[in-house]
Amino acid sequence: MKKHHYNPDSCTSCTACVVHCPVTQAVREFRGPKLAGPAGERFRLLDEEYEAALEYCSNCKNCDISCPSRVPISTLNMKARANYYKTHKQPLRDWLLSHGEQMAKMAGLTPGLANMGMHNLLSKTVLKGIGISDQMPLPAYAAASFTKQFRKIKQKPQADKVVFYPGCFVNYNQPQVGLDVVAVLQLSGFQVIVPEDTVCCGSPLVVNGYMEEAEANARKNMTILQQYAKQGLPIITACTSCGLMLKQEYQELFDIEDQQLVAGRVYDISEFLLELYDQGRLNTNFAKQAGRYMYHAPCHLRVQGIGTPGLELIRMLPGIEVVAADAGCCGISGNYGFKADKYEIAMNIGSNLFETIKASGVTTALSDCGTCRLQIAHGAGVKTAHPISLVRAAYERK
Amino acid sequence: MRTSDVIVIGGGLAGLTAAITAAGRGKKVTLMTAGAGTLAIGGGTIDILGYLSGGTPVANPRTGLASLPPEHPYTKAGMETITAAVDFFLTLCQQEGFAYQGSLNEMQWLPTAIGTLKPSCLVPLTMDTAAVQTASQVVVAGFTRLKDYYPELVIKGLSKLPGYQKQYEKLEIDPGFRGGRDVSTVDIARWLDTIQGQQACREQLSKQLKPGSVVIIPPVLGVRPGYAVKDTLEKMLNCTFVETVIMPTSVTGLRLRAMLLERAKKLGVSIMEQAHAIGVKQDGNGVAAVVTGNIDRERTYHTKAVILATGGFFGGGLVAEHDSVSETVCNLPVTAPADKEDWGTLRLFTGTAQPFAKIGINVDASLRPVDAQGRILLDNVYIAGRNLAGYDYCLEKSGNGVALVSGYKAGMSV
């Protein structure tokens, strides 16, 4: 298997990345992915302080999607950012937004209080004071985490096992998505294993330059997931950014033994179900539902090279009308849109998508990514759902 | 099991045309792309044929096509297919609200940013030079801080050419970009897509332009496939704009790609971005599946046919190593001079075709790959675009033309 190569000289300066970069379109100060990434690598050899306004890159991966030469442009940017912060002070804001898992664990003791605490005027003022937007609502914590609720599920024992890696957002903010994943897998004859000691995939750490911590998380996750991969078990995610980390970014960023083995077993939930369908193993006992939806493909899914399995799956459900929004990046890019100085940029980037959704007249938009769903709800004022929730509903109506 | 009627590999002009043609015939099409390709940043005009080998300009595309050698992709496709492909494209553009104009019976000589004329055939309405031809006075407008576009250079070059000896006047429009990165035509086109940009442009130009002026500008009249920006500004200012050919990044290619992608999606083409095709699974004399190899693992996609539009050397479809040349997906034989020394000629800029430019895959009249004896190698694989052997698009100015014709033919054949 040919990995991404790191030779920035593979860049032919064709500028396809600059043309397709949503941040470049929104901000004149950003010098664009070509200068920040592959060209920047050359400048940084001469001058470590070379500044390409790297802080603007959101790691959305549209540069990678458009690059004809397979240069991992966004990853070059992330490595350079981590390097930059080795010698420069980093705001507390970045630490807070990168360590959602720690925050969630603290909040998990008293989620109700934590939610009240986050959404009152005083704490909004404090958060704004340290650079977190007071306009983009922070996601609420669930009363009980996914792992907590999963322990109580009495699964039907099955010979075929799969591993589910929930990731922080599903675990602490939207556990229902995880419960839907488990229910759907059970209905196709799989028993679900959820390893409790996995940690945050590291995506929010990478994007804010905390590369050493991200690597520590990666090593911890790999140690746990390797055992399952060696048994040949599929590892399922229901978050496209977690999936991208496990499949691709760990390999681009770190050198961990057997990471290729794990990457080769990681599936997006919809990708996995479609493979079951190909093998004639998917339970397609779907009831007819009524509903019009618009589907948004997350950038972190588009870059995986597997098409849009969530959309394909929804199109198999009888009675559902679904249209692909095909309106570009939503702008949130993980925690980018939560930053006070990036909020306007994120909203500007997402404006085309918001207008497209509003114009469609749908009341619910579908997307496989948790933070995309938050941004769509905020920007387009509609309800949102993960495609898997509609699949589960189709079974339950029987 | 999910099975496509056809998997098209490559999202450039050849691949998109093939996908749209096949999907329009009711086929279930999967389009695998790897990067945005040259279409997004290229010129977006359909150059059919400008020069024959030796650099002789053709009187018009139709007569030029008749004098091409038998191994040329156009000759293999035949005049009937070429005519049908051109009609197909013009109709498609019309239906999508982004009409192109031109025909096989006349050359369109387009002014460039360096003051030369480039031969083309089918061009967007923003590049219709009729107004320039008849005007006695022409304004050449540039933009503050725009790189690689200097009105002085355009005027200096054009005024030496027959038919272009006119009174020229230059002016500069300031889009108001301060600081930040270099200014590109894409930046300006996005600015002119906004009402504020259009009004600022009107305020600056209305003082300087006489009613009825003909204005040559770089391609900046909006990034979307359509003529709303052109129509609005021309109405506001009572003038005619003519966009020039520029070096990449040219907004004209971006518009064409957006239009083709929209059409493909409307027809239900399933598009897989960043799907790197690395091989096929054969079944007898045909291909049963395409294998992609991304960083995580290989995946297999079943299909009844394949259209290979992977873009030659530049697109990554053909790879030349020190001592070999190969095709990367189906491992088809590539026709090339045995001795590397014979790949190039030192007679640069003399209108001589470079042998390496003609390297590609040999096909029969149906665009299926053949061996040296002319036997079909794979029954259900069709080659389109830059992978084809026997033409030098750079010298001939035939790149998008061959892509359109071969993409159309492949899409009709599956």
Side-chain angles (χ1 to χ4, degrees), chain B residues 12-278:
Chain B
L13 183 60
L16 276 165
T17 304
I20 290 167
T21 309
R25 294 172 52 229
K27 302 286 179 188
K28 185 171 183 270
V29 183
T30 299
L31 177 69
M32 293 180 172
T33 72
T38 52
L39 174 61
I41 54 170
T45 58
I46 308 295
D47 308 340
I48 297 283
L49 186 65
Y51 302 95
L52 298 172
S53 63
T56 326
V58 301
N60 65 57
R62 193 180 290 278
T63 52
L65 289 165
S67 53
L68 290 171
E71 70 273 14
H72 198 290
Y74 280 141
T75 316
K76 287 184 175 166
M79 206 58 220
E80 202 176 313
T81 302
I82 297 171
T83 310
V86 166
D87 289 346
F88 176 81
F89 180 78
L90 290 174
T91 308
L92 166 70
C93 295
Q94 186 77 44
Q95 287 169 346
E96 291 295 319
F98 186 45
Y100 267 51
Q101 56 119 24
S103 83
L104 290 170
N105 300 323
E106 61 171 331
M107 295 304 298
Q108 307 229 22
W109 291 91
L110 309 176
T112 75
I114 53 167
T116 56
L117 295 177
K118 179 206 150 145
S120 190
C121 183
L122 311 177
V123 303
L125 302 185
T126 51
M127 291 183 146
D128 182 351
T129 57
V132 182
Q133 311 281 355
T134 52
S136 55
Q137 284 183 309
V138 174
V139 177
V140 180
F143 289 84
T144 310
R145 288 187 60 196
L146 175 63
K147 278 176 76 184
D148 304 324
Y149 188 90
Y150 304 99
E152 299 86 342
L153 192 62
V154 178
I155 294 169
K156 192 178 168 190
L158 288 184
S159 52
K160 289 181 193 154
L161 300 171
Y164 276 85
Q165 280 133 2
K166 302 168 186 297
Q167 264 194 302
Y168 288 98
E169 202 184 314
K170 63 167 186 166
L171 59 81
E172 185 171 289
I173 303 165
D174 184 358
F177 294 136
R178 302 286 175 263
R181 62 179 182 271
D182 292 339
V183 175
S184 73
T185 44
V186 180
D187 292 325
I188 297 168
R190 283 172 177 158
W191 175 65
L192 286 177
D193 270 331
T194 66
I195 292 168
Q196 300 89 316
Q198 290 166 11
Q199 281 170 348
C201 187
R202 178 179 68 173
E203 275 166 34
Q204 292 182 47
L205 287 182
S206 58
K207 295 174 202 138
Q208 303 177 66
L209 285 182
K210 288 189 224 94
S213 293
V214 175
V215 187
I216 290 179
I217 50 162
V220 292
L221 298 172
V223 292
R224 300 281 309 131
Y227 298 114
V229 176
K230 171 183 159 69
D231 294 346
T232 305
L233 285 175
E234 287 185 344
K235 209 167 167 192
M236 276 178 175
L237 292 157
N238 186 15
C239 69
T240 306
F241 286 106
V242 179
E243 290 183 329
T244 62
V245 172
I246 59 166
M247 60 185 280
T249 309
S250 176
V251 179
T252 35
L254 206 57
R255 293 178 197 143
L256 177 59
R257 178 170 182 257
M259 187 265 283
L260 293 169
L261 279 170
E262 277 169 32
R263 177 71 163 221
K265 284 169 186 164
K266 270 185 224 165
L267 290 169
V269 173
S270 169
I271 299 175
M272 297 178 63
E273 296 173 290
Q274 283 298 80
H276 296 274
I278 56 160

Side-chain angles (χ1 to χ4, degrees), chain A residues 1 14-15 19-20 24 27-28 30 64 66 70 251 260 264 266-267 271 278 302 304-305 312 326, chain B residues 2 35-36 41 177 180-181 187 190 249 254 257 265 272-274 276 293-299:
Chain A
M1 175 73 51
C14 76
T15 69
V19 172
H20 292 93
T24 302
V27 188
R28 277 217 52 80
F30 184 42
D64 299 36
S66 60
R70 289 186 95 166
Q251 293 190 75
Q260 171 72 54
V266 176
Y267 292 82
E271 176 191 15
D278 286 341
R302 290 170 49 214
Q304 291 184 27
E312 266 186 79
D326 193 29
Chain B
R2 291 168 297 158
I41 54 170
F177 294 136
R181 62 179 182 271
D187 292 325
R190 283 172 177 158
T249 309
L254 206 57
R257 178 170 182 257
K265 284 169 186 164
M272 297 178 63
E273 296 173 290
Q274 283 298 80
H276 296 274
N294 281 32
I295 192 169
D296 52 355
R297 65 178 166 272
E298 293 182 0
R299 292 175 175 83

